[in-house]
Amino acid sequence: MRYPGHLVRRLVLMVGGEAMQSGFHFALNLTLLHMLSAQGYGLFAIGMVMGGVGLSYIRSLTAVPASIWMSKSTNSAGVDAHDVAFGTAAVVVALLMAIGTAILMRVLGDPSGIAAGCFVGAWSLRSHMRTAFFARRQQVVVSISDAAFTIAGTVLTGFTIWFAPGALQTVFYALAAANVFGIAVLVRLARRTIRISFRMPTRRRYARLWPQLRWSGFSATTTNIQGQCLALLVAGIAGPAAYAPLAAVLVLFAPLRIISLAFVNMTQPELAKLMRNNETARVWAQAKIWSLVMGLGGLVYGCAIMAVLPMIKSQALQDASVGFIGVFVIANFVPIMLYIMPRIVLEILGDFRIVAFITTGGAIVGLALIAILLAIASPPWSLAGSAISEIFVLVASWYFVRHRMWNIEHPDQQRNSRPGTWRRAVPFAAAKR
């Protein structure tokens, strides 16, 4: 039986590349945690948060649609055409994220913000290219590129920290250069010419997909509000130094996000092909199995981190109760791991509007609770508001995906549903043309 053996092999390969990057970012965070002041580490953490925001927009507007449409294409011309359209859009999104990051970092206290902007832009662009090459089944090339990025990042940041300790800007420049090097290796090994086009046919191709992608973009915005409002509200209200203890604990859970991204890259093209063949039962079964695996894995990982937390000492922690923070961080991450699969299924079905409604509800709940908790309690309590927001998204995601899958399996009863909400669509049919 082809499943799950081939998926496990792909997962090992993908997680290997993600693990290298995650390990590098993890080690860098721990190093800077002991070298920078609370203010400096808080700014670095905000820069990483903006990198996550950039990745989410790239994922929603270019990377995930590219992966799905390219997987659905029936000929190489269709694959190349969508690759050019989404690659061009990725350049635009990465540039906008770089400019936005530079402005925000300048406002928060970074002298220029340009270095952080370069880092976020390069990281976002490399993320899109990784996903696009995954869609082309070039996992080995992507893994080698990840290794090149990790080695370059380790060397460049090592020299930076050695010769200019405490210089946050040079660290961001080193990270930007490492991402550019990773892109160069990826292009070289893939032996493909990267094409970017702003000509009318390319713009029209992307514009035809915009009715679905606009909801994906809106979903990315609400997801960022829901997922990153903790960092932005704490840093904006209490200052970067107050966010530093929370960031120091949150960074220990970063590998979970990396692993979840590997799951997305691995399962989304496979599930898209199953849906094309109307194998909804297999899609539903795989969604439940992988969710259980990811949820249990997140819980076990969180318990292991709780055992390590008391050993971490740093001026950036400011005598905060890391155990107290850790419990709430686990309460945030376990729901995230549990709702990744239903969200993937909704995206494959083209129900970006439903995803947007779910994340909008989560964002409203999160913003309200975090703001209230910051007003009446210390910053660590704001994690409770974020956790409730994630639980809201978890419950809503599974409710809607279950309803959606039921309607697909019972099309004769769809007329009883609200018009336009539970319609049966052939997802991304335009990719077949």
Side-chain angles (χ1 to χ4, degrees):
M1 186 175 180
R2 194 165 180 257
Y3 172 81
H6 79 295
L7 290 183
V8 172
R9 289 191 295 271
R10 289 184 63 199
L11 177 64
V12 171
L13 187 60
M14 291 179 179
V15 170
E18 300 287 359
M20 286 186 287
Q21 301 176 83
S22 178
F24 164 62
H25 285 148
F26 182 76
L28 179 61
N29 270 275
L30 289 183
T31 301
L32 295 178
L33 180 63
H34 291 86
M35 295 186 63
L36 299 177
S37 64
Q39 173 76 10
Y41 185 76
L43 286 172
F44 175 76
I46 294 298
M48 295 297 291
V49 166
M50 290 304 298
V53 171
L55 296 188
S56 69
Y57 275 110
I58 283 288
R59 178 184 182 276
S60 297
L61 293 176
T62 68
V64 168
S67 176
I68 296 175
W69 261 282
M70 290 167 66
S71 297
K72 290 287 187 178
S73 296
T74 57
N75 53 65
S76 59
V79 173
D80 292 339
H82 286 109
D83 196 5
V84 172
F86 287 113
T88 303
V91 172
V92 175
V93 174
L95 180 60
L96 292 176
M97 283 305 309
I99 295 173
T101 300
I103 295 173
L104 177 63
M105 294 294 287
R106 177 69 181 271
V107 171
L108 291 177
D110 191 328
S112 69
I114 296 176
C118 292
F119 159 61
V120 171
W123 192 12
S124 300
L125 186 58
R126 189 172 71 88
S127 175
H128 168 83
M129 295 181 65
R130 293 180 73 254
T131 304
F133 279 99
F134 273 130
R136 291 182 178 274
R137 305 283 180 165
Q138 293 184 296
Q139 294 92 345
V140 174
V141 171
V142 175
S143 295
I144 295 174
S145 171
D146 292 339
F149 159 76
T150 303
I151 295 171
T154 302
V155 173
L156 292 175
T157 55
F159 275 115
T160 295
I161 294 172
W162 179 265
F163 291 106
L168 184 59
Q169 289 185 9
T170 56
V171 172
F172 280 131
Y173 278 127
L175 290 172
N179 277 284
V180 171
F181 181 73
I183 292 174
V185 171
L186 183 61
V187 174
R188 177 66 177 176
L189 292 180
R191 296 181 179 179
R192 300 193 62 85
T193 301
I194 302 302
R195 295 169 54 200
I196 298 174
S197 174
F198 293 94
R199 299 174 61 185
M200 185 60 69
T202 302
R203 298 202 301 269
R204 285 176 178 171
R205 182 174 294 108
Y206 193 84
R208 283 198 300 267
L209 307 178
W210 183 247
Q212 294 183 66
L213 294 179
R214 65 184 179 185
W215 287 107
S216 182
F218 180 75
S219 174
T221 301
T222 54
T223 297
N224 284 320
I225 294 174
Q226 182 247 336
Q228 309 298 348
C229 61
L230 172 70
L232 299 179
L233 283 178
V234 174
I237 295 174
Y243 178 65
L246 307 186
V249 178
L250 285 167
V251 73
L252 300 178
F253 288 79
L256 289 181
R257 291 192 182 275
I258 300 298
I259 292 174
S260 67
L261 180 60
F263 267 98
V264 172
N265 289 333
M266 175 193 71
T267 59
Q268 201 148 38
E270 296 289 335
L271 296 183
K273 290 183 178 180
L274 291 177
M275 287 303 304
R276 181 185 62 188
N277 298 328
N278 293 321
E279 298 185 59
T280 55
R282 290 185 64 188
V283 171
W284 185 235
Q286 291 188 25
K288 291 186 288 187
I289 291 172
W290 284 120
S291 291
L292 180 62
V293 171
M294 295 170 71
L296 290 176
L299 182 60
V300 171
Y301 181 88
C303 293
I305 292 297
M306 288 295 292
V308 175
L309 279 176
M311 306 177 189
I312 300 177
K313 305 295 181 182
S314 170
Q315 58 179 343
L317 293 177
Q318 299 180 327
D319 299 323
S321 176
V322 291
F324 178 77
I325 296 173
V327 171
F328 279 122
V329 173
I330 293 175
N332 274 264
F333 271 90
V334 172
I336 290 174
M337 302 299 284
L338 288 171
Y339 69 64
I340 287 173
M341 291 307 299
R343 176 162 181 167
I344 289 175
V345 175
L346 288 173
E347 289 175 341
I348 289 172
L349 295 173
D351 288 327
F352 294 110
R353 179 167 57 178
I354 295 176
V355 176
F357 288 156
I358 293 172
T359 53
T360 298
I364 294 172
V365 171
L367 281 171
L369 292 178
I370 292 173
I372 292 172
L373 289 169
L374 283 174
I376 64 176
S378 59
W381 278 99
S382 61
L383 287 165
S386 179
I388 294 174
S389 172
E390 300 292 1
I391 293 172
F392 173 89
V393 174
L394 168 65
V395 174
S397 297
W398 277 106
Y399 170 79
F400 282 109
V401 78
R402 181 181 180 184
H403 197 163
R404 187 69 170 91
M405 295 294 285
W406 186 88
N407 279 331
I408 291 176
E409 293 176 348
H410 303 83
D412 56 315
Q413 301 183 34
Q414 288 188 46
R415 59 179 176 273
N416 297 323
S417 302
R418 292 179 59 188
T421 301
W422 303 112
R423 66 189 185 282
R424 183 176 184 181
V426 179
F428 316 119
K432 297 181 180 180
R433 293 194 292 269

